[in-house]
Amino acid sequence: MLKTIACFKWVIDDADIRIDAGTRKLVLDRAGYKISAYDRNAIEEAVLLQEKHGGTVCAVTVAPSSAKACLKDALSRGPDNACYINDPSFADLAPAQTVSILAAGIKAGIEFDLIICGEGSGDLYTQQVGPALAETLGIPCITYVNKLTYSESDRRITAERKLEDGIEVVSAALPALVTILPDINTPRIPTLKQVLGAAKKPALNVTLDSLGPAGDPCLKTVGIQAAVMDRKKIRFAADAEGIRAAVGALLKEVAIA
Amino acid sequence: MDFNLTEEHKLIRANVREFCEKFVDPIAEQTDAEPKFPMETVKKLAEQDLLGIPYPTEYGGAGSDYLSYIIVIEELSRACATTGFTLEVHSSLASFPLFKFGTEEQKKKYLVPLCKGEMLGAFALTEPGAGTDAGAASTVAVKDGDHYVLNGSKIFISNAPVAGVIIAFALTDKSKGTKGLSAFIVPQGTPGLIIGKHLNKMGIRGSLTSEVLFKDCRVPAENLLGQENQGFKIAMMTLDGGRIGIAAQALGIAQAALDESIHYSKERVQFGKPIAALQAIQWMIANMATEIEASRFLTYKAAWNYDQGLPYSKEAAMAKLFASETAARQTNRAVQVHGGIGFIKGHKVERLYRDAKITEIYEGTSEVMRMVISGSVLR
């Protein structure tokens, strides 16, 4: 029986982010939240493995206490249960803090053979939580996975890693952790009955008091501003001479090579 | 008082929005232009449990509430008014009377496959000589042993060519007008049931709307829905709920018109700046957004009344009246914001403009809505 944990993060829906034109600050007062895109793939992959091999799927998140709505969203996507590790202070955690909280929560009472994480989160995309969690739990980690299979006979997983220079196929004995890329699957849209059934599934509420301190952040966010792309608006004549001059100027600036 | 949607309602909206982005938006233009009935979408809606949203699970429904259903129609119509309307006819006009007035056997035989999406439903009340004046119907049903024999013709019957079952109305007592009307469950394939001419519509062109003819159409007596001569009450109760659905359809069309107008006015540059920087455009957008918000509150309130078991006839009429007239106004404004390009085939606002008009007409015209509302408040 395969016991899988799918980790997910509840992030601001980037479609709702507005930019204040004067200060370049992000205007978030009307922003909604959603499950980080790659984490939806993580949940889907866990559910696909369960459909093929049986076992259980637990969706785990570390989130502020105001994020309870994430549970129904996650559970409507197929997991049997969820673990909601929350505290009002968990709003802007550094990756190392998330890892220590997540590891403590998992150690405290979630049995697992396999942990699936998205390669990176939709907001910060640090790609640190998956590998650091594996390290903290002392289990092997396979990153950049775009295909995953499980062999019941020898209880091993085989993964295809999509790297810049090719595909690497690796195998690991369980327990293990994988971080996955979005092309591994297409998450299904939950059906209406799944949405309505999510409220009936068990969700374990784990608070910071039961886990101990999360540690100090080694990162500090001092400000967030929207990136602005200023166009140079260079005009040039559309004849051969004009184009040659424009390309020559760009080459000189090493803007193109 | 709480204006928040529940977590479930928010998830349902987000999921349907994703469904539309994947499966409805990409074919909406083709659905209108060819025109082509979106049968593949209907099958996918069934897979998502969306063909029997407010009906209990024991009848194949999703066991959700009316507000969920309304949100789904709103979102579908925002992408494609034909698709939203197809669901509305199926769920409100065909499934509701079966759910409310059907015997246990009738529900098992017809409501269950309707809710599961194994077949679509249609509703045949309107006749060439009996639109708003339903009592002027000339289709008759004469009892003959253990059958009724139906004769007459119906017009503007949506979903009829693809429906597995039609809820049809006919006079069982000609002398009594509306009080002599009865409702019948007529399965497709019943001898004497003829799907007539397909009607070439101005809007919601992908929806299949046709004449329905009964020529010595023998319907088993067990297919009488409710009691004999109870048909007018069944039709009016069905249309009361349906009107909330049409309000939601109009709301979705209007919202799409606003979305398109916001997007276009930020992109379109005239006089060296986006036209959204011009007060003339800003005021149009402000009016659109405000009237749409008011439509939404009226529509959701009517659905909420339904869910609470409160009277909703007046609320449904107000929602339909305001939302449909809002849709007509906002799609007009949206074309105006777009200028010439909005008048060109293939542009979404051109389609929205045509799709909006029918919401002021079907399932009770704006004039009938004013009759219902005034009848209620002047009582």
Side-chain angles (χ1 to χ4, degrees):
Chain A
M1 206 176 84
L2 186 65
K3 294 188 281 287
T4 307
I5 289 175
C7 296
F8 72 96
K9 185 174 182 181
W10 192 237
V11 298
I12 285 174
D13 189 338
D14 44 7
D16 293 342
I17 298 175
R18 300 280 173 268
I19 312 293
D20 182 272
T23 61
R24 282 166 53 200
K25 279 188 178 155
L26 309 187
V27 182
L28 305 174
D29 55 347
R30 287 176 185 270
Y33 284 75
K34 63 177 185 181
I35 293 176
S36 179
Y38 294 6
D39 296 348
R40 284 175 50 175
N41 296 98
I43 295 173
E44 177 71 22
E45 194 62 20
V47 172
L48 285 169
L49 285 172
Q50 183 193 36
E51 284 170 355
K52 204 164 175 192
H53 303 285
T56 58
V57 176
C58 178
V60 179
T61 191
V62 172
S65 307
S66 57
K68 208 172 172 210
C70 71
L71 294 174
K72 279 182 191 160
D73 193 345
L75 288 168
S76 72
R77 296 173 190 279
D80 305 287
N81 54 66
C83 178
Y84 179 45
I85 309 172
N86 68 97
D87 188 81
S89 68
F90 289 176
D92 292 304
L93 293 173
Q97 292 174 295
T98 304
V99 167
S100 76
I101 298 161
L102 204 46
I106 290 170
K107 280 182 193 161
I110 312 173
E111 286 182 37
F112 70 93
D113 302 305
L114 175 65
I115 299 177
I116 305 179
C117 298
E119 188 57 43
S121 62
D123 49 2
L124 299 178
Y125 202 73
T126 65
Q127 298 177 276
Q128 291 180 22
V129 170
L133 178 62
E135 191 65 24
T136 310
L137 295 172
I139 57 174
C141 174
I142 307 174
T143 55
Y144 295 107
V145 174
N146 76 346
K147 193 176 174 194
L148 183 64
T149 52
Y150 167 62
S151 163
E152 290 177 40
S153 55
D154 54 3
R155 290 185 65 75
R156 291 182 74 87
I157 50 166
T158 303
E160 277 187 21
R161 304 182 68 217
K162 189 181 176 189
L163 305 175
E164 274 182 15
D165 51 355
I167 302 280
E168 184 182 67
V169 180
V170 295
S171 168
L174 296 179
L177 182 149
V178 294
T179 63
I180 59 164
L181 294 171
D183 28 349
I184 193 166
N185 59 42
T186 305
R188 283 165 285 190
I189 302 171
T191 68
L192 181 51
K193 283 182 188 167
Q194 283 182 304
V195 170
L196 299 174
K200 298 184 191 96
K201 291 183 177 179
L204 184 65
N205 191 60
V206 179
T207 57
L208 187 59
D209 316 333
S210 59
L211 296 178
D216 293 325
C218 49
L219 270 176
K220 195 178 163 197
T221 304
V222 286
I224 297 177
Q225 279 198 313
V228 176
M229 219 184 280
D230 282 325
R231 300 286 175 191
K232 290 191 174 173
K233 296 176 183 167
I234 300 166
R235 280 170 176 265
F236 56 92
D239 57 15
E241 185 56 35
I243 292 169
R244 208 174 293 126
V247 172
L250 289 171
L251 281 169
K252 212 171 172 183
E253 277 184 47
V254 206
I256 56 171
Chain B
M1 194 167 184
D2 188 354
F3 283 101
N4 283 314
L5 293 177
T6 64
E7 287 174 11
E8 279 85 0
H9 289 139
K10 286 180 192 167
L11 282 178
I12 289 164
R13 185 191 295 286
N15 290 338
V16 175
R17 217 168 254 196
E18 189 181 338
F19 179 90
C20 288
E21 282 164 15
K22 260 188 173 162
F23 304 118
V24 185
D25 283 324
I27 59 161
E29 191 192 329
Q30 183 196 6
T31 299
D32 173 75
E34 284 193 7
K36 188 183 176 206
F37 183 76
M39 189 52 97
E40 286 305 310
T41 311
V42 170
K43 285 180 192 159
K44 289 192 178 89
L45 287 170
E47 289 166 13
Q48 295 296 125
D49 307 323
L50 298 179
L51 289 192
I53 299 169
Y55 302 114
T57 50
E58 67 252 42
Y59 298 125
S64 190
D65 57 9
Y66 214 73
L67 184 53
S68 303
Y69 166 60
I70 286 309
I71 290 169
V72 172
I73 294 183
E74 177 191 349
E75 288 300 326
L76 287 175
S77 302
R78 187 167 160 245
C80 170
T82 285
T83 307
F85 177 60
T86 300
L87 172 63
E88 193 276 338
V89 170
H90 171 81
S91 273
S92 289
L93 300 190
S95 302
F96 176 86
L98 282 164
F99 172 63
K100 198 76 187 171
F101 297 95
T103 63
E104 206 51 36
E105 262 177 44
Q106 288 171 339
K107 285 181 191 172
K108 278 187 188 140
K109 198 166 172 186
Y110 300 105
L111 182 59
V112 170
L114 283 172
C115 288
K116 285 184 173 174
E118 291 163 3
M119 64 182 184
L120 277 173
F123 175 89
L125 174 66
T126 301
E127 298 187 7
T132 294
D133 182 10
S138 62
T139 298
V140 291
V142 178
K143 187 97 185 262
D144 178 23
D146 54 0
H147 280 73
Y148 286 92
V149 182
L150 272 63
N151 275 291
S153 62
K154 301 284 177 182
I155 198 167
F156 306 145
I157 309 307
S158 298
N159 285 4
V162 284
V165 67
I166 297 174
I167 307 300
F169 294 82
L171 290 167
T172 34
D173 188 338
K174 277 209 272 189
S175 66
K176 288 188 182 162
T178 54
K179 287 182 180 148
L181 206 59
S182 297
F184 297 92
I185 304 165
V186 187
Q188 195 76 267
T190 304
L193 167 66
I194 300 156
I195 305 302
K197 203 172 78 182
H198 172 69
L199 301 164
N200 187 7
K201 303 190 294 299
M202 175 170 107
I204 53 162
R205 291 180 55 76
S207 156
L208 292 172
T209 306
S210 66
E211 294 176 344
V212 171
L213 312 172
F214 300 102
K215 285 192 179 166
D216 293 327
C217 178
R218 290 178 70 82
V219 178
E222 68 198 34
N223 282 21
L224 175 72
L225 184 60
Q227 306 298 313
E228 217 175 68
N229 301 335
Q230 202 190 5
F232 189 70
K233 185 186 168 195
I234 294 174
M236 291 306 113
M237 275 190 74
T238 300
L239 288 170
D240 271 344
R243 282 164 192 160
I244 315 177
I246 299 302
Q249 186 203 8
L251 178 58
I253 293 171
Q255 183 65 51
L258 175 62
D259 296 342
E260 292 293 313
S261 299
I262 290 172
H263 180 75
Y264 183 77
S265 63
K266 284 178 169 177
E267 300 270 316
R268 171 70 172 167
V269 174
Q270 290 287 272
F271 306 109
K273 56 189 173 186
I275 60 170
L278 303 170
Q279 195 179 52
I281 302 296
Q282 290 169 353
W283 285 28
M284 277 199 267
I285 301 275
N287 286 339
M288 291 169 88
T290 306
E291 289 177 38
I292 290 167
E293 193 74 350
S295 299
R296 184 167 288 117
F297 285 143
L298 282 172
T299 306
Y300 289 7
K301 173 62 167 46
W304 183 84
N305 272 33
Y306 181 108
D307 285 329
Q308 300 299 315
L310 296 168
Y312 59 88
S313 177
K314 179 189 76 177
E315 289 75 8
M318 285 177 164
K320 187 197 178 267
L321 172 65
F322 193 77
S324 63
E325 294 193 347
T326 294
R329 272 195 304 274
Q330 306 332 323
T331 52
N332 185 13
R333 279 183 176 133
V335 172
Q336 198 65 24
V337 167
H338 283 70
I341 196 74
F343 195 65
I344 302 300
K345 287 275 178 196
H347 204 290
K348 190 169 179 181
V349 292
E350 184 273 338
R351 166 161 55 90
L352 294 169
Y353 183 85
R354 288 183 287 104
D355 286 345
K357 182 60 201 173
I358 190 61
T359 63
E360 293 179 295
I361 299 170
Y362 57 23
E363 299 192 30
T365 60
S366 288
E367 293 66 36
V368 168
M369 294 308 103
R370 289 184 168 92
M371 277 165 53
V372 172
I373 297 161
S374 59
S376 174
V377 298
L378 290 172
R379 196 156 44 194

